[in-house]
Amino acid sequence: APVSTMSAPLRRAATLSVRAAFRPTVGVVQWNPVRTTIAPAAKLTPPFNGASRGFASDSDDDFKPTTHVSGASAIQAAIAKDVAENKVLLYMKGTPSAPQCGFSNMAVQILNSHGVEYATRNVLASEDTRNGIKEFSSWPTIPQVFIHGEFVGGCDILRQMHADGELEKTLKTAQ
């Protein structure tokens, strides 16, 4: 924007930053802003040497969901199968490498801190799955964690179990 259309505080800030960028310094490393590009989330590697698995677009086709079901009973059957087949399962918004809500991110961080292998299901990929998991567990919120086929709870319960040391004991039995 031209200098004449800027407000007085904005002109002052712009002038100061230009002066700071060109100010000669002796013995001090000068900060020079550099444009960087951030790799897309799909290109990032999961933390903890791949301890987590995602069923979303950032995973290999072999690991993507094989069920594309609709209807309440088919969704419930698919969820029950997921819960039974995975020792630790996280129904979340997004993927472990790109969580789409803070609570899902917190659940991923807690599970990653324990270095446990877990499966995930992105509920944003299917409205039927999103509603079906709430009905399956009788729990109204996402994320939802299942360990050994048993519903543990959401982010708040997972965080409390982590703080109490109870989660570590429960996860040791899952390995």
Side-chain angles (χ1 to χ4, degrees):
V3 175
S4 62
T5 61
M6 286 195 233
S7 66
L10 190 56
R11 272 195 314 272
R12 174 123 173 96
T15 303
L16 290 176
S17 58
V18 168
R19 284 183 192 160
F22 291 107
R23 183 180 308 140
T25 56
V26 180
V28 177
V29 177
Q30 186 172 356
W31 177 76
N32 291 320
V34 178
R35 273 198 165 197
T36 59
T37 56
I38 298 174
K43 304 249 187 228
L44 298 176
T45 57
F48 299 101
N49 299 324
S52 63
R53 298 182 308 168
F55 287 125
S57 61
D58 65 343
S59 66
D60 188 81
D61 288 340
D62 292 338
F63 299 107
K64 288 185 180 176
T66 55
T67 56
H68 298 283
V69 295
S70 60
S73 62
I75 292 290
Q76 296 300 311
I79 291 170
K81 182 180 177 195
D82 272 351
V83 170
E85 290 179 350
N86 295 288
K87 291 181 180 180
V88 181
L89 178 63
L90 173 64
Y91 275 84
M92 63 180 289
K93 293 179 182 175
T95 65
S97 59
Q100 297 296 308
C101 91
F103 298 113
S104 292
N105 183 36
M106 175 71 73
V108 166
Q109 297 303 318
I110 290 171
L111 291 174
N112 285 345
S113 73
H114 289 278
V116 66
E117 184 176 327
Y118 60 98
T120 63
R121 188 65 88 154
N122 181 2
V123 299
L124 298 178
S126 165
E127 189 67 28
D128 290 336
T129 303
R130 185 177 184 174
N131 293 326
I133 190 63
K134 293 176 183 181
E135 184 182 322
F136 181 83
S137 62
S138 300
W139 192 260
T141 60
I142 307 287
Q144 295 186 14
V145 179
F146 295 83
I147 300 175
H148 281 304
E150 183 179 323
F151 175 63
V152 174
C155 177
D156 52 346
I157 293 173
L158 195 66
R159 187 174 51 203
Q160 185 63 45
M161 288 176 70
H162 173 69
D164 294 344
E166 187 181 339
L167 182 60
E168 185 175 358
K169 295 173 193 169
T170 305
L171 290 173
K172 280 184 181 178
T173 64
Q175 295 302 323

